[in-house]
Amino acid sequence: MNGDTLNHRSSLHTNTINLKRHTLVKSSLDDARSNASMRLRRSWIDELRWQVGEASFMKWTVEDVLAVLKYHPVPCLLAVSLLFFMGVEYTLLMIPPSSPPFDIGFVATVHLHRILAGCPALNTVLAGLNTVFVGMQTVYIIWTWVVEGRPRATIAALLMFTFRGILGYSTQLPLPQPSGVNFELIM
């Protein structure tokens, strides 16, 4: 063997190795680009999965739920009362519109009632704002308990709405006159 043949084989071997490296690097870059675009597409899904996975309720076990029933009976009783009084309040037959209402709230707010009766647009705007406010409260209450694991707002809401249901059942008011706009969540 002469030195030229050895040199030629060595350069062929080096070129083959370089070509393989180039192919590997190119395919690695293509894979990285493909993976990066795939990660960008999946990032919001992964973020949502992570947030749901980190939510407090995802870590509850059957024992946790039973412990709530055993060690915290008052909030459980309030939750059952809330459901009961919601059913009673929303199925309660109202007194006819011709009957005069008697409610301490009406007596205390006669002046405000006159203002709102004189300006129906203001009444509609305030009713809409009240509905938005109640919706925001509901989202906050559910979020703090289910996602953050802080039950204090939920317990307070259960207390408030339970007693509101009791008072709603105790105070029968006449049906309102039909109007063009009706907001269902008005408190």
Side-chain angles (χ1 to χ4, degrees):
M1 275 177 103
N2 63 21
D4 289 339
T5 310
L6 185 61
N7 233 357
H8 180 66
R9 285 183 186 164
S10 175
S11 69
L12 276 176
H13 180 68
T14 305
N15 286 340
T16 304
I17 290 174
N18 286 340
L19 182 61
K20 285 181 181 176
R21 280 187 192 152
H22 176 72
T23 305
L24 286 173
V25 167
K26 185 173 184 290
S27 68
S28 296
L29 285 174
D30 290 342
D31 288 345
R33 285 185 193 122
S34 172
N35 288 340
S37 67
M38 186 72 89
R39 277 195 304 269
L40 286 176
R41 277 185 246 136
R42 291 188 181 173
S43 65
W44 70 272
I45 295 172
D46 293 337
E47 180 68 22
L48 181 64
R49 282 185 188 146
W50 179 82
Q51 287 178 353
V52 170
E54 290 296 312
S56 174
F57 75 92
M58 292 298 287
K59 299 172 189 140
W60 293 350
T61 63
V62 174
E63 291 81 22
D64 293 333
V65 174
L66 294 175
V68 168
L69 294 171
K70 182 177 180 181
Y71 297 112
H72 305 287
V74 173
C76 294
L77 181 65
L78 288 173
V80 170
S81 298
L82 170 67
L83 294 174
F84 173 74
F85 281 108
M86 280 175 62
V88 168
E89 184 179 4
Y90 292 119
T91 59
L92 180 68
L93 295 175
M94 298 293 225
I95 59 175
S98 59
S99 300
F102 178 75
D103 184 50
I104 194 71
F106 283 108
V107 174
T109 59
V110 168
H111 182 67
L112 180 62
H113 177 71
R114 286 187 191 133
I115 293 171
L116 293 176
C119 186
L122 177 63
N123 189 27
T124 301
V125 168
L126 292 177
L129 288 175
N130 183 54
T131 303
V132 169
F133 179 69
V134 169
M136 290 170 53
Q137 279 180 320
T138 304
V139 169
Y140 172 77
I141 289 166
I142 292 170
W143 181 270
T144 58
W145 179 45
V146 172
V147 176
E148 294 177 9
R150 296 183 297 132
R152 183 177 288 179
T154 305
I155 293 168
L158 287 172
L159 256 167
M160 178 180 69
F161 285 113
T162 299
F163 290 114
R164 180 188 178 275
I166 293 169
L167 289 174
Y169 177 74
S170 304
T171 307
Q172 292 187 13
L173 302 174
L175 290 170
Q177 297 298 325
S179 65
V181 178
N182 188 13
F183 292 97
E184 295 295 327
L185 292 176
I186 298 172
M187 296 183 79

